[in-house]
Amino acid sequence: MPILRKLLRTPAGAIGLLMLAVTLAATLMTPILSPYDPLALDFAAAMQPPSTAHWFGTDNFGRDIFTRILAGAVFDLRLALVCVFGPMIMGVMIGLVAGFYGGIVDAALMRLTDIVWAFPFYVLILAIVGVLGPSEANLYIAFFIVNWIGYARIVRGETLLVSRLEFIEATRVLRFGKPRVMLRHILPNVVTPAVVYSMSDVVLTVQAVAAMSFFGLGVQPPAPEWGLLIVESIDYMREAPWMAIFPGLAIVWIGIAFSLLGEGLATALKPKG
Amino acid sequence: MLFAISKRLLMLVPVLIGITMISFLLLQIMPGDPASRAMGTRASPEELQAMRELWGLGKPLWVQYLYFLRDCLTGSFGVSIFHKQPIIDLVAERLPFTLAIVGYSTVIALLIALPFAILAAANRGRMLDNVVRQIFVVVVAMPPFWLCYVLILWLALRMGWFATGGVGDGFLANIGRLFLPSLVVGLSTAALIQQSLRAALIDTMKADYIDTARAKGLRGHEVFLRHILPNSLISTISIIGVRVSWIIGGTVVVEKIFSVPGLGSLLIDAIVSRDLPVIRGLTVFFAIMVVIVNLITDICYALADPRVRLE
């Protein structure tokens, strides 16, 4: 894994990976790290401030917030990763086809991206899920409709540049099939900026997924999704601010991890010279 | 210039038609009969029938689309089921607040980004540059809706410096009232502006005409204020243009939390009350706003930088 080694050599990439590894390990080891149940109610322990027994305090139902945040990581990471990398694959393919074939295919696809691009991200996502009804599946549909655009634009531009290079000319002389040229020869040379972009996309998507729960349009209670944890804390903001602060910091933590990873990847994947 | 602008306006026509099509299709992906979904279970059969006729349901899809296009072209954007008013009237009441947050947040973003960009560019590659970059990594990682609550908790409830939400009467009152929502939207824009402005400053510092300016005897701060800064700020205009869709989208979240009666609150309320014509009309309106602001920033960019010409 030469890329991984290069990534670990950049300080940002190494710290980002470490933060993600810690998150993943903590998620997997939740039962060892915490004796509490993320869903069981315990009114005797309600709204306790952070202490050695409850690191991040407890909520209005006496549930341990540290445990709920660890249990919620599964929801937020799954949603964010699917909502970024699913549309990313779609966008990369569309951009590749548009840039490679050019002409009317390109013109049509690019007009479509222009039009979808005009809708503010949050407005379109909210409207789609608002119309379809709140559920995790509909959240995926909304993000698949919206999130591919950036990747299609980036990859199309790169493909236009690479297609003019000599080694692609050579594949034409060799009479390679078009799918083979696109996937084996162009794709590896155009995908880097899309990968770097996807890291900052994860940062924004984690926030968007949580925001959708906040509007009641995402994951439904009593799931310990981070956005939901924040919504449920609002009525107790004065008495128990830790209920809102720590789930938010979890989102910040993931955001910083992926930002650093993106910074590291940009350095590690930069061509020499 | 005028010719170029009118050509740009003409090119917008297909984009605007596309926008209405996407918004129209939005309601087509909904399962079930739109009229009964929209009116709820309490509607009488007569009301449902009136609704179906108003929207042209039952007619072919393209006729339904033309009904909607007619509503957009005549300027009403459809009629709200909940408010029983043309959507454009609802928009007119709320638009000033949304535009105020968009403008105010951009000003805040510039005021935050400018000193940090200068600081980072002057110390490029050194510790301070790195510290500034990491500060903005943290800023970008903060989810806006959570940041709203942290600010309310800290600056409004604890310190009592700001109101927890709502809007005031008149311009001066709203400078205080809209500060926190605009700050939340502005912070994420500031991160982007800081990054691009830092790069632009570093590029400009290396330009030949800066050496010329120094050679003719201008002092350091004169060179900076009269040559480096203005030329670097031009690139910020196009960044704001690219970013405007995100800024406008960001207002939706903060408006709801700070109870600002803007377009975003209207959208969320429409989603909660299943007011489908409002959802559809507003998506069109939001997209048109983005297109118009994009056009304005393009024109400003061309005016500010004579090398750029509108095509």
Side-chain angles (χ1 to χ4, degrees), chain A:
Chain A
M1 292 285 274
I3 292 178
L4 190 65
R5 202 172 307 147
K6 268 193 205 166
L7 188 62
L8 285 173
R9 227 172 277 157
T10 64
I15 297 172
L17 266 185
L18 183 72
M19 288 172 78
L20 278 183
V22 168
T23 314
L24 220 60
T27 316
L28 293 174
M29 296 192 304
T30 310
I32 304 170
L33 286 172
S34 140
Y36 305 103
D37 182 314
L39 296 177
L41 312 183
D42 176 11
F43 289 98
M47 302 230 279
Q48 289 183 2
S51 64
T52 45
H54 299 281
W55 293 355
F56 291 176
T58 60
D59 69 3
N60 50 316
F61 294 117
R63 296 173 294 197
D64 180 62
I65 292 178
F66 180 66
T67 315
R68 280 173 70 72
I69 288 176
L70 286 185
V74 181
F75 288 91
D76 287 274
L77 288 178
R78 178 179 68 217
L79 279 160
L81 296 181
V82 173
C83 290
V84 168
F85 294 108
M88 175 182 171
I89 295 169
M90 201 165 105
V92 168
M93 287 304 147
I94 290 173
L96 202 58
V97 168
F100 185 69
Y101 284 95
I104 189 138
V105 180
D106 181 34
L109 284 171
M110 285 306 112
R111 285 299 81 74
L112 182 63
T113 62
D114 280 349
I115 291 162
V116 183
W117 200 250
F119 291 94
F121 173 77
Y122 272 105
V123 170
L124 204 49
I125 300 263
L126 281 167
I128 294 171
V129 182
V131 166
L132 287 176
S135 81
E136 199 175 323
N138 291 339
L139 209 58
Y140 289 133
I141 294 177
F143 277 91
F144 267 78
I145 293 177
V146 180
N147 249 7
W148 60 276
I149 306 283
Y151 300 99
R153 289 191 152 194
I154 293 171
V155 169
R156 177 213 175 236
E158 293 287 310
T159 306
L160 282 179
L161 293 176
V162 172
S163 298
R164 291 200 200 104
L165 298 180
E166 277 176 2
F167 74 99
I168 298 300
E169 294 283 320
T171 63
R172 212 160 290 153
V173 179
L174 292 166
R175 293 179 186 275
F176 284 177
K178 280 184 174 165
R180 179 175 169 184
V181 176
M182 271 200 294
L183 294 176
R184 299 263 312 263
H185 300 276
I186 297 183
L187 183 61
N189 290 294
V190 298
V191 81
T192 305
V195 171
V196 172
Y197 173 76
S198 73
M199 293 297 123
S200 56
D201 202 14
V202 174
V203 181
L204 297 178
T205 306
V206 171
Q207 297 175 6
V209 163
M212 292 304 279
S213 314
F214 170 77
F215 288 117
L217 293 171
V219 179
Q220 299 296 310
E225 195 274 329
W226 296 341
L228 277 176
L229 295 189
I230 298 174
V231 187
E232 289 162 1
S233 72
I234 286 163
D235 293 339
Y236 310 97
M237 207 160 58
R238 275 169 189 269
E239 306 91 319
W242 55 86
M243 276 175 67
I245 305 261
F246 289 109
L249 288 179
I251 300 176
V252 174
W253 168 267
I254 291 293
I256 294 173
F258 275 97
S259 286
L260 292 176
L261 201 58
E263 203 182 309
L265 274 175
T267 319
L269 294 173
K270 201 189 277 174
K272 289 209 179 89

Side-chain angles (χ1 to χ4, degrees), chain A residues 118 131 207 234 238 244 248 263, chain B residues 133 140-141 146 149 157 274 290:
Chain A
V131 166
Q207 297 175 6
I234 286 163
R238 275 169 189 269
E263 203 182 309
Chain B
R133 191 168 66 237
V140 170
W146 174 75
Y149 283 110
L157 293 177
R274 300 204 65 81
V290 172

Side-chain angles (χ1 to χ4, degrees), chain B residues 225-242:
Chain B
L225 285 178
R226 283 177 50 187
H227 295 282
I228 298 178
L229 191 59
N231 281 305
S232 305
L233 276 173
I234 292 173
S235 71
T236 307
I237 298 175
S238 65
I239 285 291
I240 292 175
V242 172

Side-chain angles (χ1 to χ4, degrees), chain B residues 23-98:
Chain B
S23 298
F24 175 74
L25 286 175
L26 192 66
L27 293 207
Q28 301 302 318
I29 59 174
M30 186 181 63
D33 170 36
S36 46
R37 286 294 291 268
M39 301 291 282
T41 44
R42 278 171 302 171
S44 65
E46 291 79 26
E47 279 177 319
L48 284 179
Q49 196 48 42
M51 196 77 226
R52 291 200 185 96
E53 256 162 48
L54 183 67
W55 286 0
L57 297 173
K59 295 210 174 75
L61 209 57
W62 63 273
V63 178
Q64 293 183 36
Y65 171 67
L66 288 182
Y67 271 69
F68 175 55
L69 196 60
R70 178 199 62 195
D71 286 346
C72 292
L73 287 176
T74 54
S76 76
F77 290 94
V79 178
S80 159
I81 297 170
F82 183 75
H83 298 273
K84 302 192 168 49
Q85 266 180 298
I87 289 163
I88 193 71
D89 293 350
L90 299 171
V91 166
E93 284 167 26
R94 292 161 172 85
L95 183 63
F97 294 111
T98 301

